[in-house]
Amino acid sequence: MSRHKLVKNMNLDDEMDDFDGGDGYAYEEGAGQEELSAEDKLQMQEGTAHVRSILGPEVAISDKDIQDSLWHYYYDVGKTVTYLLNQRSNSDPRKSKKAEDESGKKAKVMSLQYMRASDGCTRSFSARDFFKDCPWLNIPLERQGLILIEPLFPRGGLFGGSAEAVPKVSKLAALAAARKKKENEKLSEKDPTAVSNSIALLDRLRIGDQPNAEGKRTTEAANDRSGKTARHNLFHTASTNPPAMREARKYPAKKPKAPPEQATPPPNEEARSPSEDTPEPPPALLASPSTFARTMFGSASTSTSVMSSKVSFSPYTLNIAESNPFAGPSPDDVVASAQNSSKGMKGSKSNTKTTTSDRSTNGIADGMSKVAIDASAAHAKSKNLNVIAEYGRTNKKKAANFVVIGHVDAGKSTLLGRLLLDLHVIDQRLVDKYRKESETIGKSSFALAWVLDQGTEERNRGVTIDIATNRFETDTTTFTILDAPGHRDFIPNMIAGASQADFAVLVIDASTGSFESGLKGQTKEHALLVRSMGVQRLIVAVNKLDTVAWSQDRFEEIQQQVSAFLSAAGFQPKNVSFLPCSGLTGANIVSRSTDPNAAWYTGPILLQQLETSEPFTRALEKPLRLPIDDISRTNTQSPLSVSGRLEAGSIQVGDKILAVPSGETAFVKAIEVDSEPADWAVAGQNVTLHLSDIDGAHLQHGDLLCSPSAPAQSVKSFTAKILAFEHVTPMHLDVHRGRLHAPGRVTRLVAVLDKATGLVVRKKPRLVKPGEVARVVVELDVEGGVPLDAAARVVLRAGGETVAAGLVE
């Protein structure tokens, strides 16, 4: 037995019974407990007495609890009292919150009282008591000095505050105040109103009346020497008696620099006249308006060099209507007019003689009203043609779409490439180019298949992924090829191609083993799907028969098995035809085979059978129905383009259409039928519509374009009559209709029907077996629903398998 299993299986109870504890372990009762020293016992007794005295007799707490708390808090009586009171309040759950708060407050107060009593703190904390032993706090009064620090900014005055709280005036401030007072006295003698209207910090911007007689400014430098003694006395008075200078205190203004020609006169110069000594008021420092100000508010009518003191410039006081900067032509108009005149062209002259703002505003409003876009001008004009009558008078070739289906690697794309090559739709040089490219990746036999498989992934994988289309013409018919993918992963793309087809070509690989595997695979599923989509005509091309030496027995064996299956699927024998062929060599495709082994087949070749397919009736009289197969837009300037096969109705340029389920409307700007411009299109044709007045965000693959007068219904649930391919129960599945793909679920099995008569055989079945026809209710898990009309053909798939297909009732 391993050590882990031994430990796992150990009985701990037996082991603990046998354990004696060992030496050195104090497991006996009372053993190992720490004994209190004499000092601890003394502190414990004193602490217990203190706690008892603080709590009082009304608090019932045992000594053991008090001693435990003291031991826990290291004999801290304050913390012990707080803890005990809190424990007592928490032990009583019926106590109210108010009582708890009062108890907590009481505990804090009692704890604080004890701390103060124990520390001897009978008054509040004082810094003087804390620093009482420091020498700098014991300086005698006669040795103490008064230290005054001048504030960074003066208090009161312009910066706010009380005038009475102005500190002691400094010497510099007193000197400036005396000088300012002297200047004010001199100015008051000339203009008494100038002093009353001045402001302390804006005195330098004051505008004087006129310059002096000589037209020169005077400076304080001329009077600096003469007033030296007076300034000294003024400074002495200001420094000794600050309150006397409060009224005259001003902030000093910046002294302007004296011009070079006005230097200080020499000492021996004669005394000047009183008019020369009188300082001239400073000139106006107001600058001329900027370019932006002149543009917005016009130019000032008066000169800005010398202005009256009674006039101050303010752009907001000007009349904007007096000079409108936008009245004249713009620089672009000037250039355009010059270009037109140089070319001899007559340009319309705009009326630029607007004198008031009202006229300019009205002119702008009139011009904007003329720029209004006429919505109808953006739409193409309809010719109001009778499209059905026009279609009846045309002598065009009949058009047909056929889809090529079959199991993967059956040779569908190669067969179609050979068909286009032999009909000279493509030239031999293109095939040679594809052959060289395919040889580089080791797939030289895929050269013809690359004619339709244009995608890089398709060529690398060697399988068709999406529907490939091409066109060719014969003497009587214009055919559109729809090459469907054969891989089971791309069945939804195959359904989209089959929904646009008039008939189908089923390609079967005749090589040994391939036919049998294909019959169990997509050969049978594709045949069931095309029949469910409404295809009745089927051409079965038994391909690669040259690999079995054109064996007639092999051909007849395949024909017998496939005919039985197709009859069970609902195809009528008269609408099914078989032919042997080889897509790689081109035998029985466009020309008959020259191999002697194939001489036993004397029936029509593939091209002949395509031409003999009967034309199908078109739903020309029904409302417009166009399922969107593709959406494209080359750039933001080009219109939105949608393409698809017109199922019913007719359309012409200028028609208004409705997109379902988005509910957006659009106008048809142009139409292309088989990549050629046209004025109209009818049911059965492959069209491309160039739309206007709609955003591509409102359109998706599978949406339905219809006429606004007869719109299609967008449904969230529907009842369908289906043919079951697998067992059908109330289950989740996917609903397919052309490019439309929507998730849903079968919510109810209504009844099982008779295949021939359509009568109810069994109501409310638990499940529908394969091969039975039933009526079921399907709900869609799509917000807004999907466009489904009555008699629309749908395919139901679940888990990658086709479960059923049928018609919407």
Side-chain angles (χ1 to χ4, degrees):
M1 182 181 297
S2 65
R3 181 171 175 269
H4 294 286
K5 292 184 179 181
L6 180 62
V7 173
K8 185 177 180 180
N9 297 330
M10 181 183 296
N11 191 345
L12 296 180
D13 295 336
D14 297 341
E15 296 294 333
M16 293 301 295
D17 293 341
D18 298 337
F19 180 66
D20 56 357
D23 298 334
Y25 290 92
Y27 288 99
E28 298 295 334
E29 184 178 358
Q33 295 182 359
E34 186 178 358
E35 294 292 340
L36 294 178
S37 63
E39 184 180 359
D40 290 338
K41 290 181 180 180
L42 179 60
Q43 291 184 1
M44 185 67 72
Q45 292 177 1
E46 293 177 355
T48 304
H50 279 295
V51 173
R52 281 291 185 190
S53 62
I54 294 173
L55 294 178
E58 64 274 7
V59 180
I61 297 179
S62 62
D63 293 342
K64 184 178 183 304
D65 295 339
I66 296 176
Q67 293 176 1
D68 291 343
S69 300
L70 287 172
W71 178 259
H72 178 74
Y73 288 109
Y74 298 97
Y75 306 109
D76 191 333
V77 177
K79 293 183 179 180
T80 301
V81 171
T82 304
Y83 170 75
L84 292 175
L85 291 176
N86 291 336
Q87 286 294 109
R88 184 171 177 272
S89 61
N90 295 333
S91 62
D92 189 3
R94 296 173 297 177
K95 195 171 185 180
S96 62
K97 184 176 181 181
K98 183 176 181 181
E100 292 179 2
D101 296 341
E102 293 179 355
S103 176
K105 293 179 180 180
K106 182 178 179 182
K108 293 181 180 179
V109 170
M110 297 176 69
S111 174
L112 184 60
Q113 290 177 354
Y114 172 75
M115 291 174 64
R116 288 183 177 181
S118 60
D119 295 341
C121 297
T122 58
R123 55 192 177 90
S124 60
F125 175 79
S126 175
R128 181 178 295 275
D129 295 339
F130 185 78
F131 294 101
K132 60 184 179 181
D133 55 343
C134 297
W136 56 79
L137 291 179
N138 298 324
I139 301 175
L141 295 177
E142 62 273 7
R143 297 187 61 183
Q144 294 182 3
L146 182 61
I147 301 175
L148 297 178
I149 301 175
E150 184 70 16
L152 182 61
F153 298 102
R155 300 168 186 167
L158 185 63
F159 293 95
S162 175
E164 298 178 358
V166 176
K168 183 178 179 180
V169 180
S170 63
K171 297 179 181 180
L172 181 62
L175 179 62
R179 185 177 60 188
K180 184 61 64 176
K181 182 178 180 180
K182 184 176 180 180
E183 291 180 359
N184 292 338
E185 291 175 355
K186 292 180 180 181
L187 290 176
S188 61
E189 295 176 358
K190 298 181 63 176
D191 188 4
T193 61
V195 177
S196 61
N197 295 334
S198 63
I199 302 175
L201 292 179
L202 301 179
D203 284 341
R204 301 300 299 172
L205 298 179
R206 186 181 65 255
I207 302 174
D209 289 337
Q210 292 180 355
N212 54 12
E214 297 179 0
K216 298 181 180 180
R217 294 181 300 173
T218 60
T219 62
E220 292 86 354
N223 301 327
D224 196 11
R225 295 174 180 264
S226 60
K228 184 175 181 181
T229 306
R231 292 177 183 175
H232 181 269
N233 296 335
L234 180 62
F235 167 73
H236 178 72
T237 305
S239 60
T240 55
N241 190 12
M245 298 298 300
R246 289 176 182 172
E247 298 296 333
R249 181 182 180 186
K250 300 286 183 178
Y251 292 103
K254 184 178 180 180
K255 180 186 291 186
K257 294 182 180 179
E261 66 273 7
Q262 294 183 356
T264 305
N268 56 359
E269 186 178 356
E270 296 180 357
R272 296 186 179 183
S273 61
S275 61
E276 294 179 354
D277 294 338
T278 304
E280 181 185 356
L285 299 181
L286 181 63
S288 60
S290 64
T291 304
F292 176 76
R294 290 196 301 271
T295 303
M296 296 301 297
F297 307 104
S299 301
S301 59
T302 60
S303 177
T304 58
S305 60
V306 179
M307 299 179 65
S308 174
S309 61
K310 302 293 183 66
V311 180
S312 61
F313 174 76
S314 176
Y316 301 101
T317 60
L318 297 177
N319 189 1
I320 302 176
E322 292 179 359
S323 60
N324 189 355
F326 302 101
S330 66
D332 294 340
D333 295 338
V334 175
V335 174
S337 177
Q339 291 176 350
N340 294 338
S341 61
S342 63
K343 295 180 181 179
M345 300 175 59
K346 286 187 177 182
S348 59
K349 297 181 179 181
S350 60
N351 184 16
T352 61
K353 297 180 179 181
T354 306
T355 58
T356 62
S357 60
D358 295 339
R359 291 183 181 180
S360 62
T361 305
N362 295 335
I364 293 174
D366 295 340
M368 292 301 295
S369 62
K370 295 178 181 179
V371 186
I373 299 176
D374 187 6
S376 60
H379 306 153
K381 293 183 179 179
S382 176
K383 297 182 179 180
N384 296 323
L385 301 175
N386 188 351
V387 177
I388 299 178
E390 293 288 335
Y391 176 70
R393 286 194 294 266
T394 57
N395 295 322
K396 293 183 179 180
K397 299 178 181 179
K398 63 180 182 179
N401 297 354
F402 69 91
V403 60
V404 182
I405 58 176
H407 190 63
V408 63
D409 293 336
K412 302 183 294 297
S413 299
T414 302
L415 186 146
L416 294 178
R418 172 59 67 177
L419 175 65
L420 296 175
L421 178 63
D422 293 347
L423 291 174
H424 304 291
V425 178
I426 59 174
D427 54 5
Q428 185 63 38
R429 289 181 299 178
L430 181 62
V431 177
D432 294 340
K433 174 186 175 182
Y434 288 158
R435 182 172 287 108
K436 290 181 180 180
E437 293 177 357
S438 60
E439 285 177 355
T440 58
I441 61 175
K443 297 181 180 180
S444 58
S445 61
F446 284 76
L448 293 173
W450 282 17
V451 175
L452 283 93
D453 296 341
Q454 298 290 332
T456 304
E457 187 178 0
E458 290 180 330
R459 293 183 176 183
N460 293 334
R461 297 178 58 177
V463 295
T464 303
I465 295 177
D466 202 355
I467 291 291
T469 60
N470 211 319
R471 295 175 59 251
F472 68 92
E473 295 184 4
T474 62
D475 296 337
T476 59
T477 311
T478 299
F479 292 98
T480 300
I481 302 173
L482 302 170
D483 185 16
H487 200 278
R488 60 178 300 175
D489 293 342
F490 310 115
I491 292 295
N493 295 337
M494 179 266 166
I495 295 173
S499 63
Q500 306 177 37
D502 296 320
F503 61 95
V505 176
L506 176 61
V507 180
I508 295 177
D509 188 354
S511 58
T512 304
S514 299
F515 164 69
E516 289 76 12
S517 62
L519 190 62
K520 298 178 182 179
Q522 272 59 59
T523 299
K524 181 182 294 185
E525 185 176 7
H526 282 196
L528 291 173
L529 287 174
V530 295
R531 184 65 189 93
S532 302
M533 301 305 295
V535 175
Q536 299 179 2
R537 173 84 168 103
L538 185 65
I539 300 173
V540 181
V542 183
N543 193 22
K544 301 182 183 181
L545 201 61
D546 56 336
T547 59
V548 291
W550 296 96
S551 173
Q552 184 177 2
D553 295 336
R554 180 64 171 174
F555 175 76
E556 293 177 351
E557 177 187 0
I558 294 173
Q559 181 178 5
Q560 182 180 3
Q561 294 187 29
V562 174
S563 297
F565 163 70
L566 295 178
S567 298
F571 287 97
Q572 298 181 5
K574 65 177 183 178
N575 293 331
V576 179
S577 59
F578 291 81
L579 77 151
C581 63
S582 175
L584 189 61
T585 61
N588 294 340
I589 302 296
V590 176
S591 58
R592 195 171 295 275
S593 176
T594 58
D595 193 328
N597 296 326
W600 53 266
Y601 178 73
T602 57
I605 59 177
L606 178 61
L607 183 60
Q608 294 174 349
Q609 293 201 15
L610 292 176
E611 290 181 329
T612 55
S613 299
E614 297 181 0
F616 298 93
T617 58
R618 310 296 184 185
L620 302 178
E621 302 293 341
K622 292 185 177 182
L624 174 66
R625 295 293 184 269
L626 174 62
I628 297 178
D629 183 64
D630 191 16
I631 304 173
S632 62
R633 170 176 277 176
T634 54
N635 52 59
T636 57
Q637 302 297 329
S638 62
L640 184 67
S641 301
V642 297
S643 60
R645 185 171 184 264
L646 202 58
E647 287 187 350
S650 60
I651 193 172
Q652 60 179 315
V653 175
D655 284 354
K656 183 179 181 180
I657 58 176
L658 176 68
V660 180
S662 64
E664 297 291 328
T665 58
F667 289 88
V668 180
K669 191 173 183 179
I671 298 177
E672 293 182 9
V673 177
D674 294 332
S675 302
E676 294 181 359
D679 293 332
W680 49 267
V682 296
Q685 294 179 338
N686 301 314
V687 300
T688 299
L689 303 182
H690 303 288
L691 306 179
S692 62
D693 290 357
I694 193 170
D695 192 356
H698 301 299
L699 298 179
Q700 295 181 357
H701 293 86
D703 287 357
L704 195 64
L705 299 181
C706 55
S707 174
S709 59
Q713 298 297 324
S714 182
V715 299
K716 293 185 178 180
S717 64
F718 61 90
T719 302
K721 184 169 64 174
I722 63 171
L723 172 64
F725 303 147
E726 302 290 342
H727 289 88
V728 178
T729 60
M731 57 194 298
H732 288 271
L733 43 75
D734 296 329
V735 179
H736 295 265
R737 182 188 181 275
R739 286 286 182 182
L740 176 64
H741 174 207
R745 61 186 183 277
V746 177
T747 58
R748 187 159 55 95
L749 304 178
V750 180
V752 175
L753 308 178
D754 183 74
K755 286 185 178 181
T757 61
L759 299 177
V760 177
V761 177
R762 187 172 70 256
K763 292 183 179 181
K764 296 181 180 180
R766 292 187 177 181
L767 60 89
V768 179
K769 298 179 181 180
E772 293 183 343
V773 177
R775 181 177 287 113
V776 298
V777 177
V778 180
E779 291 187 2
L780 300 173
D781 298 333
V782 177
E783 184 178 358
V786 297
L788 287 177
D789 287 329
R793 297 181 179 273
V794 295
V795 177
L796 307 181
R797 290 175 56 82
E801 300 289 340
T802 303
V803 176
L807 297 173
V808 177
E809 293 184 340

